Amino acid sequence: MDSLPEIRTHSSYAELANASHDAVVAVYTGDTAQALNQAPCATWAEAVAPFCRIDNEFGKHVALVPASSVAGGRLILSPIASLDDDTDDVRRVFDAVKAGVARAIEAGAKAPAVYLAPLPESANAVPDADYSRWVEVALLAALDASYVTLVVREHRQLTDGAAAVVEQLQSIHLVVENLSDAQLSAAAKRASAIESGRRLAMDMGYGDPERMTPHNCAETIRAAASATPGVDYELIDDLDVIKKEYPLLYNSARASFAEKRTWPCVVKLEYRSPERAKVKEHLYLVGKGVTYDTGGISLKIGGSMRGMSRDKLGACGVAGFAIATGLMQDPTVDLSCILAFERNSIGPNSLLPDEIVYSRAGVRVLINDTDAEGRLVMTDPVSECRERILAARASGSSLPAAIYTVATLTGHVIRAYGWYGATVANGPARRGHYDQRLAASGLAYGDPFENSIMRREDHEFVRGRTDREDVYQSNSLASTLTDRGHQYPAAFIIKASGLDKHSMSSGANAIPFVHVDIAGSAEDGHEPGLGLCGITGSPVATFAGAFWS
């Protein structure tokens, strides 16, 4: 992984006098003239006054002001409209910081200083907002503005050689005057780890179907893991092993066997806390890594195949979180991650509707739609996680454990919630508030999640009706045309993996399970012309907030 810009924090604006920077980005709420009169440098108001006199709109949007009193002569004003209205949340901070830093970059800055004015007290009264991580969010926004995607870095290196610009900024200075140096250093450490994980996820996510084939994704993760303390990497690429251990993945990927470069593979990542006495839980994370989804024999039509190189973002996000955790060396959590990569191709050997295939748990699955491949590739890894949890308990372990699946699984979640992610939890996870932990963390990090609830209709929908099958994989309609289209797939995973034997009624054998559908949150929803949406790196920050100490 390429290194991040250097981050330096300051608890006093006066400290910038001894820091090498070339612009100041001022982020504040309220009236510009009033805010700058309270700023640490009175000359800011002097520089801004002429613009305020001639433009009633000045101060409502990002603006670059010549100011001889600041380094580089560049003062960028990036106002926040409000933080205390009904639907305001910490994303207001993210948007303002990113816009301000982006303007500094456009102006030629390489080492901007971001000055964050104190939050208004009224912000803490908003019921659906959490500003407790606002400094980390601000740093993540500045780093996001500086990020250059892997495909662009490679293009620039190819065309410009040693002169290629692979990072927009060299350094970022952050000034927050109402926090201690220790608090700012802690925020910078967490933000740096999270950003490194986000960048791994985004580097893979932006890769086109040929740049990021299943095995190229695996190699990208291997390189990151080898540079990260405490993260162990394993690759399973033998088709015979995949057929035996992950039969649903194997069958879903059959059409891709014609070309070895598109064969499926499974990546396993393990992280163990360096302080064993502090471990509070063991997380088992399963990621969907479909590097391109044609729909298989249930072919996507009408232009709906566009953007399907992004169907791997669940696995990318899980990998990013594992790397971030290793960099953070968090002492309270152990991780076991299984990432299932495939290209859902079409060909003579395609999986077919009407086939019945056996899952790892021995459950007979009737295939109705080969375009519902995501639940297939994750189910057997979930079954393996279930087996490992039971084995650990049998050996005497009392460490709490839970299973999470992360996937860009359905269009229905976007129809239901727009560009937000959603959780769907089983009874044991609901009882333990596992899904609500993610929702709370998402609010704090600007990646809000909705908590959907699994109902009896979801299980009834996939229940086999004849003696020829045990469970239906799907119906034959798009999820957007199906009632409860993002909830019922979680019921399928539970049944086909054997997790139905570990519900609330199983008592001590219960296993918490949360399905996380990031089809909405993994992208930003803004299509540039005929191009694809930006990638957010979700849910790396949300998982960090939910699970790190």
Side-chain angles (χ1 to χ4, degrees):
M1 294 183 296
D2 292 331
S3 59
L4 303 178
E6 179 188 9
I7 297 175
R8 298 187 62 185
T9 59
H10 309 273
S11 58
S12 169
Y13 181 76
E15 294 177 14
L16 282 181
N18 300 315
S20 178
H21 63 291
D22 56 8
V24 171
V25 178
V27 180
Y28 56 91
T29 57
D31 177 77
T32 296
Q34 182 179 0
L36 295 189
N37 277 325
Q38 299 172 355
C41 182
T43 56
W44 292 5
E46 296 175 10
V48 167
F51 297 91
C52 291
R53 285 195 296 267
I54 65 170
D55 186 358
N56 289 335
E57 288 294 303
F58 185 81
K60 295 181 181 179
H61 311 284
V62 176
L64 170 64
V65 177
S68 60
S69 61
V70 303
R74 306 179 182 102
L75 174 62
I76 294 96
L77 306 180
S78 192
I80 302 173
S82 69
L83 289 173
D84 54 7
D85 208 354
D86 290 10
T87 57
D88 288 337
D89 58 45
V90 76
R91 288 175 295 173
R92 295 283 194 193
V93 176
F94 184 97
D95 293 344
V97 173
K98 183 175 179 180
V101 172
R103 184 66 185 91
I105 292 170
E106 290 174 348
K110 292 295 183 182
V114 178
Y115 172 80
L116 296 182
L119 293 177
E121 286 295 326
S122 56
N124 296 319
V126 180
D128 294 314
D130 181 352
Y131 296 101
S132 61
R133 298 290 180 182
W134 74 293
V135 175
E136 292 171 49
V137 169
L139 281 171
L140 289 170
L143 290 165
D144 197 51
S146 179
Y147 170 66
V148 177
T149 65
L150 174 64
V151 291
V152 174
R153 298 199 304 271
E154 291 176 339
H155 168 72
R156 290 178 178 175
Q157 289 165 341
L158 181 65
T159 57
D160 301 334
V165 176
V166 297
E167 184 75 39
Q168 300 279 27
L169 297 176
Q170 297 169 358
S171 64
I172 298 168
H173 295 262
L174 182 71
V175 183
V176 188
E177 294 195 307
N178 58 345
L179 295 180
S180 68
D181 289 334
Q183 288 173 310
L184 291 174
S185 294
K189 180 181 178 181
R190 286 175 68 96
S192 294
I194 291 170
E195 179 65 11
S196 294
R198 288 180 68 247
R199 289 187 175 201
L200 174 63
M202 293 188 294
D203 277 353
M204 290 190 290
Y206 279 113
D208 68 44
E210 287 300 302
R211 176 61 184 87
M212 286 296 167
T213 63
H215 289 265
N216 285 349
C217 285
E219 174 55 26
T220 302
I221 296 170
R222 185 207 61 77
S226 67
T228 305
V231 176
D232 294 327
Y233 169 93
E234 179 186 354
L235 173 66
I236 300 174
D237 57 0
D238 185 297
L239 289 183
D240 290 334
V241 174
I242 293 174
K243 183 177 183 179
K244 178 177 182 293
E245 301 293 333
Y246 311 102
L248 295 181
L249 168 63
Y250 176 89
N251 281 287
S252 177
R254 283 183 342 218
S256 70
F257 295 172
E259 294 283 344
K260 189 171 184 178
R261 62 189 173 79
T262 62
W263 282 8
C265 63
V266 174
V267 170
K268 294 185 178 182
L269 298 173
E270 298 284 339
Y271 168 80
R272 293 296 177 266
S273 163
E275 301 179 60
R276 304 306 302 161
K278 294 184 178 181
V279 180
K280 295 181 179 179
E281 60 186 329
H282 192 145
L283 307 178
Y284 291 82
L285 308 178
V286 174
K288 170 190 173 184
V290 178
T291 61
Y292 201 81
D293 183 14
T294 68
I297 209 74
S298 303
L299 189 67
K300 291 181 181 292
I301 60 173
S304 60
M305 203 183 298
R306 179 177 178 272
M308 284 299 105
S309 60
R310 304 288 177 80
D311 216 11
K312 58 184 178 291
L313 290 177
C316 297
V318 171
F321 175 61
I323 295 303
T325 304
L327 293 172
M328 191 66 188
Q329 286 290 282
D330 186 82
T332 62
V333 67
D334 286 343
L335 301 180
S336 294
C337 308
I338 306 178
L339 315 176
F341 288 102
E342 72 152 0
R343 179 182 289 187
N344 187 19
S345 300
I346 185 171
N349 197 31
S350 290
L351 178 68
L352 301 173
D354 300 350
E355 282 192 55
I356 293 178
V357 293
Y358 282 84
S359 73
R360 179 187 177 110
V363 177
R364 297 171 300 166
V365 177
L366 174 61
I367 304 299
N368 284 328
D369 183 357
T370 64
D371 195 18
E373 82 296 331
R375 65 202 70 176
L376 293 178
V377 306
M378 293 191 297
T379 291
D380 290 331
V382 168
S383 187
E384 179 182 354
C385 293
R386 175 182 68 90
E387 295 165 9
R388 291 181 60 180
I389 291 172
L390 295 177
R393 291 176 179 177
S395 67
S397 173
S398 59
L399 186 65
I403 303 172
Y404 296 78
T405 50
V406 184
T408 51
L409 202 71
T410 66
H412 185 277
V413 78
I414 300 176
R415 289 295 302 272
Y417 296 130
W419 298 100
Y420 292 87
T423 63
V424 186
N426 72 350
R430 289 282 295 167
R431 178 176 58 186
H433 307 296
Y434 287 77
D435 52 345
Q436 294 176 40
R437 284 172 70 184
L438 293 178
S441 175
L443 278 181
Y445 277 96
D447 183 20
F449 275 80
E450 307 288 354
N451 290 145
S452 291
I453 298 176
M454 198 180 313
R455 303 294 185 184
R456 61 185 181 182
E457 287 84 359
D458 301 317
H459 291 275
E460 182 64 17
F461 189 69
V462 298
R463 180 180 62 85
R465 301 297 201 278
T466 79
D467 59 1
R468 297 183 296 277
E469 71 280 321
D470 300 311
V471 65
Y472 301 130
Q473 165 239 16
S474 176
N475 60 0
S476 58
L477 298 176
S479 69
T480 53
L481 301 178
T482 302
D483 292 345
R484 306 187 61 79
H486 76 270
Q487 291 101 324
Y488 88 83
F492 165 79
I493 294 172
I494 288 171
K495 174 64 176 178
S497 68
L499 266 181
D500 58 328
K501 300 177 179 64
H502 304 281
S503 62
M504 293 276 288
S505 62
S506 67
N509 287 324
I511 297 177
F513 166 72
V514 182
H515 170 57
V516 184
D517 193 335
I518 61 169
S521 61
E523 294 181 296
D524 63 15
H526 303 299
E527 294 186 348
L530 298 180
L532 300 178
C533 296
I535 295 175
T536 65
S538 176
V540 176
T542 293
F543 274 33
F547 303 127
W548 289 355
S549 57

